[in-house]
Amino acid sequence: MIRCPECSAEIDVDEDEVEEGEILSCPECESELEVSQIHPVHLNVISDDDDDDEDDEDEEEEEEEAEDGDKGDLIEEEEEEVEDEE
């Protein structure tokens, strides 16, 4: 019998049928668990922090795109001024 490293609940898994890298779900706390070792089976909790990091990266990209858009407007205005002078 394997125990969840997060909540210590028993997870019914046939140790001969799991593979390294396989993702399991705890029936009690619903944590995602990765099989990091077999014989004996060892589970690691897949942290939810990764999702937060992805959200932060998306927000940073959106901010950069907004800044780039502002710079693009400045370039267009400068080009218009040059055309007016000609």
Side-chain angles (χ1 to χ4, degrees), residues 48-64:
D48 292 335
D49 294 341
D50 292 343
D51 294 339
D52 295 339
D53 291 344
E54 289 175 10
D55 292 342
D56 293 343
E57 288 173 7
D58 291 343
E59 290 173 6
E60 289 174 7
E61 288 176 10
E62 290 173 5
E63 289 173 5
E64 288 175 9

Side-chain angles (χ1 to χ4, degrees), residues 29-55:
C29 68
E30 298 181 0
S31 293
E32 289 189 335
L33 309 168
E34 180 179 13
V35 178
S36 60
Q37 173 184 319
I38 55 174
H39 302 296
V41 174
H42 186 265
L43 302 174
N44 287 333
V45 177
I46 299 175
S47 68
D48 292 335
D49 294 341
D50 292 343
D51 294 339
D52 295 339
D53 291 344
E54 289 175 10
D55 292 342

